[in-house]
Amino acid sequence: MTTPEKDDAPTNRLPEGKIPQLRVMPGAPDANIYGDVFGGWIMAQVDIAGSLPATRRANGRVATIAVNSFLFKNPVFVGDLLSFYADIVKVGNTSVTVYVEVYAERNRLQSNIVKVTEATLTYVATGPDRKPRQLPPLESLIHHHE
């Protein structure tokens, strides 16, 4: 049995066996005068990353209905390469809850990787009328993509 790493310490690696939903490098317009990237910019990217698996599970349009939790663990700087990992953690009749983790590769060196943000967001599947709709059964999505 291994001991868990300190969660906010540099991990020096991205999560193994997982593919990021999104990879983005913030630029100067995304930062304040001190060079720290605005939290709102990070929140927008997290929302996009979380919506991707929710959209696939809903097989169509989704809308963000809740930001259940959002934690900034470390600052993000201009030039960090951010990797956003998103996993569905709960599925309801019309909603999908997604957990998003964000890691920064500092100075484009893979030897300095740190977890910067984690969040849980809930999306609702919507129809063309923008009203909630039932999620399709999982079986129909599996057969649809074979």
Side-chain angles (χ1 to χ4, degrees):
M1 190 161 151
T2 60
T3 55
E5 295 178 340
K6 188 168 184 277
D7 199 28
D8 57 355
T11 61
N12 297 330
R13 65 180 186 272
L14 296 171
E16 293 181 24
K18 294 178 73 175
I19 298 171
Q21 292 290 331
L22 187 66
R23 289 182 62 127
V24 183
M25 185 178 291
D30 307 316
N32 62 27
I33 60 171
Y34 305 108
D36 298 333
V37 174
F38 287 115
W41 182 88
I42 298 166
M43 293 177 89
Q45 306 307 307
V46 165
D47 191 23
I48 292 167
S51 74
L52 298 172
T55 298
R56 279 194 294 277
R57 177 58 187 88
N59 199 25
R61 179 193 315 263
V62 297
T64 309
I65 58 164
V67 176
N68 306 314
S69 67
F70 211 104
L71 183 62
F72 296 104
K73 300 176 80 61
N74 285 289
V76 174
F77 305 113
V78 170
D80 283 351
L81 178 57
L82 302 180
S83 296
F84 296 74
Y85 295 86
D87 294 296
I88 293 172
V89 293
K90 183 180 174 194
V91 176
N93 292 323
T94 62
S95 67
V96 179
T97 301
V98 180
Y99 174 66
V100 181
E101 295 177 284
V102 186
Y103 292 83
E105 294 175 50
R106 304 265 193 232
N107 308 315
R108 296 182 215 27
L109 299 175
Q110 288 191 320
S111 63
N112 189 5
I113 297 171
V114 63
K115 186 175 188 179
V116 292
T117 303
E118 61 184 45
T120 306
L121 300 93
T122 301
Y123 302 86
V124 67
T126 60
D129 60 357
R130 308 290 200 276
K131 294 198 179 342
R133 66 173 168 83
Q134 289 287 122
L135 291 173
L138 202 48
E139 304 80 48
S140 69
L141 295 175
I142 294 168
H143 297 304
H144 178 73
H145 295 294
E146 285 180 345

